[in-house]
Amino acid sequence: MTNLPVRTARWSAGHPWRAIVGWFLFVALCRAAGICVGGNPATSEDFRIGEAGRAEAFAAEGGMQQRPLERVLISAAPGAGRLDPGAADAAARDIGARMRKLPEVLSVAPAVRAADGTAVRIDVTMKGAELDGRTHAVVVALERGLLVRPERHGR
């Protein structure tokens, strides 16, 4: 019996609890080593593979790379019907002005109304590449108190 896997299997069969604890310790050790080594987040360049990757690299060099986009939706309460146009416009202007104050925001598009009048959408374009790992503008605005979630506002 010089074959190591056979000897290990025989020992594990004779000492099952020690084998299970050993595996848990091995997994914990591997996890700790992975945490200590750290990680390297993927960038948009990491996904440039093949013809599409070359085209994306060409577009990025020409300044035509897609920008990250956030969408803020203002909607009526369920069952409430249409939004008040004046109040919706005021809320959209207010959100646009608050978003423009953020350094992470490149531009804020004009508000777009839903055909049935129940919602208004505001597109916020972020600075940087699409996959560079920046925090989303809406999250930043919520953290800085520039926006308030409706459920926190008592609505």
Side-chain angles (χ1 to χ4, degrees), residues 2-87:
T2 59
N3 195 354
L4 182 62
V6 173
R7 286 190 357 230
T8 304
R10 186 177 300 260
W11 181 87
S12 296
H15 306 92
W17 289 109
R18 288 183 189 171
I20 291 171
V21 170
W23 274 111
F24 277 124
L25 290 175
F26 175 72
V27 169
L29 179 69
C30 290
R31 183 176 168 99
I35 290 170
C36 290
V37 168
N40 192 10
T43 62
S44 60
E45 289 84 14
D46 294 330
F47 297 104
R48 293 182 181 162
I49 300 169
E51 292 290 321
R54 283 195 292 277
E56 187 175 342
F58 185 69
E61 288 173 11
M64 299 182 294
Q65 191 171 19
Q66 192 172 14
R67 300 272 184 205
L69 181 70
E70 287 287 325
R71 291 196 163 131
V72 179
L73 182 68
I74 302 169
S75 62
R82 300 171 56 96
L83 285 171
D84 175 29

Side-chain angles (χ1 to χ4, degrees), residues 84-132:
D84 175 29
D89 288 342
R93 281 192 305 275
D94 182 48
I95 288 171
R98 291 173 188 231
M99 288 295 183
R100 284 184 192 92
K101 292 179 184 177
L102 296 173
E104 298 88 357
V105 172
L106 180 67
S107 66
V108 177
V112 178
R113 291 182 182 278
D116 62 358
T118 59
V120 175
R121 186 189 76 212
I122 304 150
D123 292 342
V124 180
T125 306
M126 305 292 293
K127 293 180 182 174
E130 185 177 22
L131 297 174
D132 68 358

